[in-house]
């Protein structure tokens, strides 16, 4: 008697796998954009009408926000590490001219976001990671 050495491929497929699902998105597509624009607008209004403790600034809050966006774009488009380091140096010089309470109010959220970013990047620092962030940072 000869044995059959091939597998039986006649497995039954469940019915739920054979049915097609039809997803219809909600009709209110613009709700996300409206909420996002409303959130951005309220933050901009808050920046415009908020009294800052550092009133000796020669920029109003709208100009500061524009300058921040421009700096982010320029840092992200930089080909070498020198430009972000120069921006960091100027930021540290500016930060050193502020009073202590304002420095602490700036550094608390900065440290929290830095720790959060470190936790996100931590798995890529492991030995078996395919792309090393240090190599990306150094341009290697």
């Amino acid at each position: 008697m000869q044995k059959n050495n091939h597998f039986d491929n006649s497995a039954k497929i469940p019915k739920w796998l054979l049915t097609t699902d039809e997803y219809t998105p909600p009709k209110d597509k613009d709700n996300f954009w409206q909420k996002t624009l409303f959130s951005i607008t309220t933050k901009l209004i808050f920046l415009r009408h908020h009294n800052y403790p550092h009133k000796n600034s020669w920029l109003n809050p709208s100009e500061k926000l524009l300058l921040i966006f421009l700096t982010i774009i320029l840092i992200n488009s930089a080909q070498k590490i020198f430009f972000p380091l120069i921006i960091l140096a100027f930021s540290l010089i500016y930060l050193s001219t502020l009073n202590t309470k304002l420095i602490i109010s700036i550094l608390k959220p900065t440290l929290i976001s830095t720790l959060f970013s470190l936790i996100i990047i931590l798995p890529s620092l492991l030995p078996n990671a395919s792309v090393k962030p240090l190599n990306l940072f150094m341009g290697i």
Side-chain angles (χ1 to χ4, degrees):
M1 201 167 179
Q2 216 173 22
K3 279 189 170 181
N4 241 348
N5 287 338
H6 68 279
F7 293 102
D8 186 17
N9 290 336
S10 63
K12 292 184 181 180
I13 299 176
K15 288 182 182 181
W16 64 268
L17 196 56
L18 296 173
T19 61
T20 59
D21 291 335
E22 290 186 28
Y23 174 73
T24 54
K27 295 185 192 281
D28 192 13
K29 296 181 208 176
D30 295 329
N31 195 18
F32 170 75
W33 290 110
Q34 287 175 351
K35 285 182 181 178
T36 304
L37 289 175
F38 178 73
S39 173
I40 291 171
T41 307
T42 54
K43 286 179 180 44
L44 288 175
I45 290 172
F46 174 76
L47 285 175
R48 182 175 293 264
H49 296 295
H50 190 66
N51 292 327
Y52 289 99
H54 189 65
K55 294 181 182 179
N56 297 335
S57 177
W58 47 276
L59 293 174
N60 65 28
S62 300
E63 292 168 344
K64 286 181 183 181
L65 188 64
L66 182 65
L67 187 63
I68 288 171
F69 285 142
L70 182 66
T71 305
I72 290 171
I73 290 170
L74 289 175
I75 286 175
N76 285 329
S77 63
Q79 297 292 322
K80 302 284 182 184
I81 193 69
F82 299 115
F83 181 71
L85 288 177
I86 290 170
I87 295 295
L88 180 63
F90 281 127
S91 299
L92 287 175
I93 291 169
Y94 175 72
L95 191 64
S96 67
T97 63
L98 302 176
N99 64 18
T100 309
K101 289 182 181 179
L102 190 57
I103 291 173
I104 291 172
S105 71
I106 291 171
L107 288 181
K108 277 184 184 178
T110 304
L111 289 175
I112 292 171
S113 62
T114 303
L115 288 174
F116 181 72
S117 299
L118 182 65
I119 290 171
I120 298 284
I121 284 181
L122 198 61
S124 66
L125 295 174
L126 297 175
N128 294 335
S130 61
V131 177
K132 300 286 186 192
L134 188 59
N135 292 346
L136 290 175
F137 180 72
M138 299 303 283
I140 298 174

